[in-house]
Amino acid sequence: MQCQILFLIFPVGLTRVCAFHFTGMQYGEYVNNQASSAPTPLSSTSDDEEEEEEDEEAGIDSSSTTSSASPLPNSYDALEGGGYPDMLSSSASSPAPDPAPEPDPTPAPVPTAPQPSKVAKPFGYGYPTLQPGYQNAAAPLHSGGQPGSPAYSGFQQYAQQYPGMNQLSSSLGGLSLQSSAQPESLRPVNLTQERNVLPMTPVLAPVPNLNLDLKKLNCSPDSFRCTLTNIPQTQALLTKAKLPLGLLLHPFRDLTQLPVITSNTIVRCRSCRTYINPFVSFIDQRRWKCNLCYRVNDVPEEFMYNPLTRSYGEPHKRPEVQNSTVEFIASSDYMLRPPQPAVYLFVLDVSHNAVEAGYLTILCQSLLENLDKLPGDSRTRIGFVTFDSTIHFYNLQEGLSQPQMLIVSDIDDVFLPTPDSLLVNLHESKELIKDLLNALPNMFTNTRETHSALGPALQAAFKLMSPTGGRVSVFQTQLPSLGAGLLQSREDPNQRSSTKVVQHLGPATDFYKKLALDCSGQQTAVDLFLLSSQYSDLSSLACMSKYSAGCIYYYPSFHSTHNPSQAEKLQKELKRYLTRKIGFEAVMRIRCTKGLSMHTFHGNFFVRSTDLLSLANINPDAGFAVQLSIEESLTDTSLVCFQTALLYTSSKGERRIRVHTLCLPVVSSLADVYAGVDVQAAICLLANMAVDRSISTSLSDARDALVNAVVDSLSAYSSTVSNLQHSVLIAPSSLKLFPLYVLALLKQKAFRTGTSTRLDDRVYAMCQIKCQPLVHLMKMIHPNLYRIDRLIDEGAIHVNDRVVPQPPIQKLSAEKLTREGAFLMDCGCVFYIWVGKSCDNTFIEDVLGYPNFASIPQKMTHLPELDTLSSERTRSFITWLRDSRPLSPVLHVVKDESPAKTEFFQHLIEDRTEAAFSYYEFLLHIQQQICK
C-alpha cells in the first residue's frame, strides 16, 4: 500500500493552509480485510448467567455464587446464560447461539442483521399478523420439574411457613372473576350511545387480580406491564379473545427508591438463571423453587443472613425477596474486561448549512455549562470531530498551549491522524476543552463548504471509539452528500398528502445499519441530533441509532434566531441529554414462566442471540416492547411471572444488574381475559407492530391491521354476550377506549394519510413509537386537553412546596372548546394554549401579560412570570407537566381564528376531517365491519 501524507499541525483558530492526504486501501477493502485488522469485539458481560452454566458443566454444585472459581466467561450470552439448559438449540427452527470469542485476540466478525429464527406466531388475531422487525422465537422447551410437584416430605411445616407459588393457587392466584360480582372492567358499554367514554382523570394501569400481599410486592407498571393482566391458560383462549399479548418495559427509568444489594452471592436458578425474587417459593429454609421453571434450588449459606435485620435463618425476608425491583452490584465474574470508562465523542456538522442554522453556539454553551456534570469519574474521556467535505480532528493532549486541528481530506479512506490525544481525559485536559468549545462557534463562520461527508466522519468515529466503546453524539443538518453513505433526496413534496402509497419509509442504503452493527460490536452507541430545514432522509440515518441502541432527536426547521422555540427546545434537551444517567456495555434479557415464549422485540438494540438484547448504551428514557405467545398450556399453575435483567456498567465504573419481576394470574375463562385488558399497553404494542408492518409491507396494510384489531376484538367479545342486537356496538368497560385510541393512532403523524405530512416527520414519529416508554408514547397517541382559564386549588396536589391544580381532562373535540375560555393541549413534545376570541380579559392580562385578545401576538412561545394567582397556577401546572418527561415540549399560544390553529385542530381526533372519520363515524364503521 502506498501512502502520500502531507502533514501539518496548527493551532485552532489559525487559517488552515494544508491538509492530510492519504492514498491507499479504500473503505470497501477495509471491510473485506477486517479479518486481519478489525479490533476484537468488546463484550463486558451479558446479563449474568454463563458463569453458572460453566459451574454445572464442571460438576460444581453451587447455587449462584459470584465468587465461584469458574473460568472467566468470554461472551455475553455465556454470562447472561440462555434459557433452559436443555433448549433444543440445534433445532432447525432455532438459531444456534453466537459462538463465544476466544480468549486471545481474534478478528471481529461483522455483526449481521437479526435473522428470523422461525415465523412468528400470530398472537391472537384473526387479521394478518403485523410483521416484526426482529423475529426471534425461543426454542422449544423440555419439561423440567412439574409445577404441581409437592414439597419434599418432612418439611410440610415449612411449606406453610414459606408459602410457594403453587400453594398460593386459588387464594392468591387467578381468582375466577365469575365467582363473584361482575367487576367494573366487564361492565358492558354501548359505544354508539355512550359518547363520552374518556375519563376526566388520567387512565391508570389496571391492577392485577392478586392477593393483597402479592399486589404490594408486584413490579410497578411504570417499569414493567403486560397488555393482559389476566393471562389466558391456553393459546386457543388467547386466539379466541383476539387480543395482543406482550410486555411494555421501561427498565432503566429514574427511580427515587431502589434497593441496591452488595453481596458475594447473587442467588439465581441453576436451570433457567432466573434471579431470586418475591414470587419464588421456599420449600424450607434451605431450598427454594423457581417461579419460572419450577426447579428446586439450594439456598446458599450467605443468603441465610439478612443484612437489613441482621438476623440469620430467614431467607424469605432478604431484600431480594421483598422487592420486585432491585439492583445488584456485580462482581468481576460478570465482566469480560475491566469496566469501561465513560467516553463521549461529539461529531459535528460544520458545513455552511450547519453554520447558518447556528446550532454550534447552543451546543458549545450547553457543554461548557454541563462539562462538570457529565456522568463519569476520574477516567472520563472526551473528544471532538467536525466535518464538512473533509474531516477535522482535535488534539487536546494535556500540556499543549492550545487545541490543535488535524485535517484529513481523503474521505475515501479515513484514518486517524494520531493514535493518541484525540480522546483525552476530561479532567486533565479541561482547560483545552473549554478553549475549543469557546472557539468552535466562530471557527467556521466564513465557510463556503456546502457538502457533508457524514459517512466518512462516522467511520472515523468508529475507529476512534473501538478500543473502549462509549457514546457518539452526531449533529447533522442536511443530506450526506459526499463519500460513503451519501444519500439522494427521495421525497416528492406533491405526495405528502397521498391517501394511497407512502414510499421510502425504509432506508435507501444499508451503510448506516452495517456501521451501527459494527459500533454495537464494539460497545459504541450513536445518538443522532437532526437539525434540518429540508428533507434529510431520516429513514436511512435513523439506522445508525436504531441498531446501536442510540437515540434520535429531531428539530425540523431548526434555526437559532428564526425559530427561537426550537433553539430553546434544543438547549433544554441537551441539558438532560448531557447530564442524565447512562449505562455502558449493557445487555438485557427477559425471562418468563415456562409455557410462555417471546418472539418479537421492539426498540433500539441489536439482538445478539435469540433473546439477548445488546445495548451499547442504556438511558433512563428508553422504552422497549416484546410480543408473547403461549407455547404450552398453563393449566398446572395459577400464576405466571416475567423477569427482565439489565446488566450494565455505570458511569462510575461499577458493574450492576437491575432486575424487575412481574407476577400475573392465569385465567381459564374468556370473560376473565377481557376483564384484565390493559388498553394503553395494548395500543402501544399495536403501534410498535404497525410501524414494522408499514416498513415491511405498506402503510395501508398497517392501517387496515389496526382497524381489524378493533373489529376482531369487539366481534369476539360480542359473541360472548347473549341477546345482543346487531345494531348495538358493545365493548367491555376495559376495552371501551380501544376504538378511540386506534382512531387516534390512525390520525397520528406516523400513520395518517390525506393530510400533508413531511416524510422525515412521519419517520421520526415512527422512531418515537419504537423507543418511547408507554407513559410518554400515550401522550403522542392521545393528547390531553384541559381548560385552564378557570384553574382552582380544589383537588390540587402539592409538589415540592408548590400547589399544582388538577383540571379535568376534556375529550378531544371542538365541541368542548368555548370562545369564552382558554385550553391547554398536552401532546407530549408540544404544548398548545388555545385562546378563545371572547376569553376573559382578566385571564389574558393575568396569565399572558396582554390587555386583551387582539393584542396577543401571533407567535407567542412563553408565558411571562407575573405576580398574579392565575399566572402562578397556570405556570405551576405547565411546569408539573413538563417536568415529567424527557423531551422538553415547545409551547405555542394559538389565537382563535389564527392560521396557526390548523396544527392544533389536527389533534382533535374525535372530530371529522377531510381525510378521516370522526369518532362516531369510526364507531359506525367498526359496527358495519362486525356485522358483515
Side-chain angles (χ1 to χ4, degrees):
M1 177 167 40
Q2 295 181 345
C3 298
Q4 298 176 0
I5 302 180
L6 189 60
F7 190 101
L8 182 64
I9 300 177
F10 46 90
V12 169
L14 298 182
T15 307
R16 291 170 288 168
V17 293
C18 74
F20 287 108
H21 182 71
F22 186 82
T23 305
M25 184 170 59
Q26 301 301 303
Y27 178 69
E29 294 173 277
Y30 162 76
V31 172
N32 295 333
N33 292 334
Q34 277 196 78
S36 59
S37 62
T40 304
L42 299 178
S43 302
S44 108
T45 333
S46 152
D47 198 320
D48 26 317
E49 303 179 336
E50 165 126 8
E51 127 223 9
E52 263 51 344
E53 289 186 357
E54 294 192 351
D55 284 348
E56 291 179 15
E57 290 170 5
I60 300 172
D61 185 20
S62 69
S63 181
S64 192
T65 309
T66 60
S67 59
S68 63
S70 61
L72 186 65
N74 55 14
S75 82
Y76 275 102
D77 198 43
L79 284 169
E80 169 46 32
Y84 299 87
D86 47 2
M87 281 176 82
L88 300 179
S89 58
S90 60
S91 167
S93 64
S94 179
D98 291 355
E102 297 297 326
D104 56 303
T106 54
V110 179
T112 56
Q115 298 296 322
S117 55
K118 67 177 180 181
V119 177
K121 294 187 177 181
F123 50 83
Y125 291 54
Y127 59 91
T129 307
L130 295 172
Q131 296 300 313
Y134 308 89
Q135 291 180 324
N136 291 278
L141 310 175
H142 287 306
S143 56
Q146 294 301 319
S149 58
Y152 292 164
S153 59
F155 296 104
Q156 294 304 321
Q157 69 273 30
Y158 289 114
Q160 296 175 8
Q161 186 177 352
Y162 307 104
M165 286 280 287
N166 306 306
Q167 290 132 10
L168 295 172
S169 181
S170 60
S171 59
L172 304 184
L175 304 175
S176 175
L177 301 173
Q178 294 177 324
S179 61
S180 56
Q182 187 182 60
E184 168 61 22
S185 58
L186 279 182
R187 178 178 62 86
V189 177
N190 186 334
L191 294 176
T192 52
Q193 290 187 4
E194 192 169 332
R195 294 286 305 283
N196 295 315
V197 294
L198 189 72
M200 301 178 73
T201 55
V203 178
L204 302 177
V207 180
N209 185 43
L210 297 168
N211 168 277
L212 185 60
D213 291 335
L214 291 186
K215 283 182 182 177
K216 291 178 181 178
L217 291 172
N218 219 353
C219 189
S220 165
D222 292 333
S223 298
F224 205 0
R225 60 201 281 186
C226 185
T227 58
L228 302 177
T229 59
N230 292 329
I231 303 298
Q233 205 171 66
T234 62
Q235 179 66 36
L237 183 59
L238 176 62
T239 302
K240 192 173 181 180
K242 306 291 186 187
L243 293 168
L245 178 59
L247 303 171
L248 282 298
L249 293 83
H250 190 180
F252 201 54
R253 74 184 184 95
D254 292 318
L255 296 171
T256 53
Q257 292 183 328
L258 175 65
V260 178
I261 299 167
T262 304
S263 173
N264 291 330
T265 303
I266 297 179
V267 179
R268 304 174 63 185
C269 174
R270 290 197 54 198
S271 181
C272 69
R273 311 306 300 132
T274 294
Y275 295 81
I276 198 167
N277 60 80
F279 310 108
V280 304
S281 54
F282 283 88
I283 294 175
D284 54 47
Q285 286 182 307
R286 294 290 180 178
R287 291 176 300 165
W288 62 278
K289 182 184 284 189
C290 175
N291 52 315
L292 268 63
C293 74
Y294 311 117
R295 171 166 180 158
V296 176
N297 296 272
D298 293 333
V299 176
E301 190 66 31
E302 183 185 342
F303 200 75
M304 298 295 290
Y305 176 74
N306 189 337
L308 294 181
T309 60
R310 297 184 178 180
S311 60
Y312 185 84
E314 295 180 320
H316 61 290
K317 292 185 179 180
R318 289 266 303 197
E320 300 97 313
V321 189
Q322 292 294 314
N323 297 278
S324 58
T325 293
V326 296
E327 189 153 285
F328 297 98
I329 306 293
S331 72
S332 60
D333 291 337
Y334 286 79
M335 305 173 195
L336 297 180
R337 60 171 181 170
Q340 72 162 77
V343 182
Y344 305 107
L345 178 64
F346 295 88
V347 180
L348 312 175
D349 180 359
V350 291
S351 64
H352 176 77
N353 197 59
V355 172
E356 173 64 23
Y359 84 88
L360 271 174
T361 302
I362 298 172
L363 170 63
C364 292
Q365 187 60 40
S366 295
L367 265 171
L368 283 167
E369 292 172 359
N370 296 290
L371 210 52
D372 293 329
K373 299 176 186 175
L374 288 176
D377 54 18
S378 61
R379 304 178 302 153
T380 302
R381 299 166 72 187
I382 192 170
F384 298 86
V385 172
T386 58
F387 66 95
D388 39 36
S389 62
T390 58
I391 302 172
H392 326 126
F393 300 86
Y394 297 88
N395 183 350
L396 301 168
Q397 195 165 26
E398 185 186 17
L400 291 174
S401 59
Q402 56 185 320
Q404 293 177 335
M405 176 190 282
L406 312 173
I407 303 175
V408 173
S409 60
D410 189 348
I411 60 173
D412 292 326
D413 190 9
V414 178
F415 68 103
L416 301 182
T418 174
D420 306 311
S421 74
L422 299 180
L423 282 173
V424 296
N425 184 285
L426 173 60
H427 304 286
E428 294 173 358
S429 300
K430 184 176 291 185
E431 293 308 313
L432 284 174
I433 294 166
K434 289 182 177 179
D435 290 344
L436 176 62
L437 290 173
N438 283 314
L440 265 178
N442 299 317
M443 283 173 56
F444 302 93
T445 304
N446 299 318
T447 184
R448 295 183 179 180
E449 287 284 2
T450 58
H451 286 294
S452 166
L454 173 63
L458 288 170
Q459 291 172 344
F462 169 69
K463 291 186 177 185
L464 198 51
M465 297 291 281
S466 287
T468 56
R471 184 179 75 189
V472 177
S473 306
V474 178
F475 290 75
Q476 174 73 3
T477 66
Q478 61 180 332
L479 267 174
S481 57
L482 282 181
L486 69 86
L487 297 168
Q488 307 291 335
S489 178
R490 297 190 291 162
E491 183 184 38
D492 181 358
N494 296 322
Q495 297 298 313
R496 289 177 180 171
S497 300
S498 174
T499 57
K500 298 178 182 178
V501 179
V502 177
Q503 295 180 317
H504 309 308
L505 294 174
T509 172
D510 62 359
F511 169 82
Y512 294 99
K513 178 177 180 178
K514 287 181 177 178
L515 186 66
L517 295 176
D518 286 343
C519 287
S520 177
Q522 301 303 125
Q523 300 304 324
T524 301
V526 182
D527 296 336
L528 172 64
F529 288 76
L530 185 58
L531 311 104
S532 179
S533 57
Q534 296 178 338
Y535 173 72
S536 297
D537 199 350
L538 182 57
S539 57
S540 295
L541 298 182
C543 291
M544 72 174 90
S545 299
K546 177 179 179 181
Y547 295 103
S548 69
C551 49
I552 300 168
Y553 294 83
Y554 176 54
Y555 305 87
S557 306
F558 178 87
H559 197 284
S560 59
T561 53
H562 300 159
N563 196 344
S565 61
Q566 286 281 33
E568 183 186 5
K569 178 179 173 66
L570 173 63
Q571 184 180 21
K572 289 181 177 179
E573 291 178 357
L574 275 174
K575 180 178 180 180
R576 171 157 179 84
Y577 173 77
L578 295 171
T579 60
R580 71 186 178 187
K581 180 177 59 182
I582 186 171
F584 297 101
E585 47 189 354
V587 287
M588 182 169 70
R589 175 168 271 137
I590 308 163
R591 298 177 173 84
C592 53
T593 293
K594 191 170 182 181
L596 297 168
S597 69
M598 287 158 286
H599 59 79
T600 308
F601 300 91
H602 302 274
N604 290 356
F605 50 77
F606 170 63
V607 183
R608 191 172 293 277
S609 61
T610 50
D611 61 348
L612 187 71
L613 307 187
S614 175
L615 306 166
N617 291 177
I618 181 67
N619 69 77
D621 304 327
F624 304 88
V626 57
Q627 292 166 232
L628 300 170
S629 59
I630 302 172
E631 297 286 333
E632 302 174 13
S633 172
L634 302 172
T635 51
D636 291 332
T637 184
S638 60
L639 297 172
V640 296
C641 289
F642 305 92
Q643 186 178 86
T644 179
L646 175 70
L647 176 66
Y648 70 97
T649 297
S650 75
S651 58
K652 303 294 185 185
E654 278 187 323
R655 202 69 178 144
R656 292 185 168 221
I657 311 160
R658 184 172 297 190
V659 179
H660 305 280
T661 310
L662 173 67
C663 178
L664 297 174
V666 175
V667 296
S668 57
S669 77
L670 196 57
D672 291 356
V673 176
Y674 285 118
V677 178
D678 183 337
V679 68
Q680 290 194 338
I683 202 70
C684 289
L685 181 63
L686 284 172
N688 274 277
M689 297 164 63
V691 169
D692 287 346
R693 182 66 171 268
S694 299
I695 297 170
S696 64
T697 55
S698 70
L699 186 66
S700 60
D701 278 0
R703 288 173 55 86
D704 289 345
L706 287 170
V707 174
N708 288 339
V710 182
V711 172
D712 290 350
S713 59
L714 295 189
S715 177
Y717 172 75
S718 65
S719 67
T720 69
V721 181
S722 58
N723 303 322
L724 180 64
Q725 297 177 355
H726 285 294
S727 59
V728 177
L729 184 62
I730 295 290
S733 183
S734 60
L735 276 177
K736 67 181 181 181
L737 293 174
F738 196 27
L740 178 64
Y741 285 157
V742 166
L743 178 64
L745 257 187
L746 294 172
K747 294 186 176 183
Q748 216 268 343
K749 278 185 180 179
F751 305 113
R752 71 188 185 189
T753 58
T755 301
S756 181
T757 308
R758 300 199 320 175
L759 187 53
D760 281 344
D761 291 355
R762 186 186 299 277
V763 171
Y764 178 66
M766 290 183 172
C767 292
Q768 291 293 94
I769 287 172
K770 294 285 283 185
C771 65
Q772 283 283 305
L774 180 145
V775 63
H776 304 309
L777 180 52
M778 279 308 304
K779 294 285 196 310
M780 279 179 56
I781 295 172
H782 189 278
N784 286 338
L785 181 68
Y786 309 91
R787 183 165 183 172
I788 58 169
D789 61 310
R790 298 176 178 175
L791 293 179
I792 57 175
D793 289 342
E794 183 180 350
I797 60 175
H798 294 263
V799 180
N800 299 329
D801 300 327
R802 193 173 70 225
V803 178
V804 180
Q806 299 292 293
I809 296 174
Q810 311 285 335
K811 75 174 187 175
L812 294 172
S813 172
E815 72 180 52
K816 288 297 181 181
L817 302 179
T818 169
R819 290 190 167 180
E820 289 74 37
F823 294 80
L824 171 71
M825 184 185 288
D826 175 7
C827 302
C829 59
V830 61
F831 287 157
Y832 296 100
I833 293 181
W834 182 86
V835 184
K837 195 171 185 178
S838 304
C839 185
D840 189 354
N841 286 341
T842 303
F843 172 82
I844 295 174
E845 186 171 1
D846 289 354
V847 176
L848 303 181
Y850 292 92
N852 51 48
F853 178 85
S855 60
I856 301 173
Q858 289 291 345
K859 292 185 178 181
M860 183 175 178
T861 58
H862 287 89
L863 292 184
E865 294 189 18
L866 303 176
D867 189 19
T868 64
L869 184 58
S870 295
S871 174
E872 186 177 329
R873 283 173 174 163
T874 306
R875 285 184 291 107
S876 177
F877 179 55
I878 291 176
T879 300
W880 175 71
L881 292 175
R882 180 176 272 141
D883 288 347
S884 66
R885 66 205 64 198
L887 298 178
S888 177
V890 176
L891 174 67
H892 295 290
V893 177
V894 179
K895 296 173 66 175
D896 184 16
E897 298 181 352
S898 75
K901 73 175 184 179
T902 305
E903 188 70 23
F904 173 81
F905 276 87
Q906 283 181 349
H907 293 286
L908 298 176
I909 59 104
E910 295 202 29
D911 293 343
R912 190 177 192 277
T913 65
E914 291 182 8
F917 287 133
S918 69
Y919 175 54
Y920 184 69
E921 289 170 333
F922 185 63
L923 292 177
L924 295 180
H925 174 70
I926 295 297
Q927 183 178 331
Q928 182 184 24
Q929 295 298 309
I930 291 175
C931 293
K932 276 186 177 180

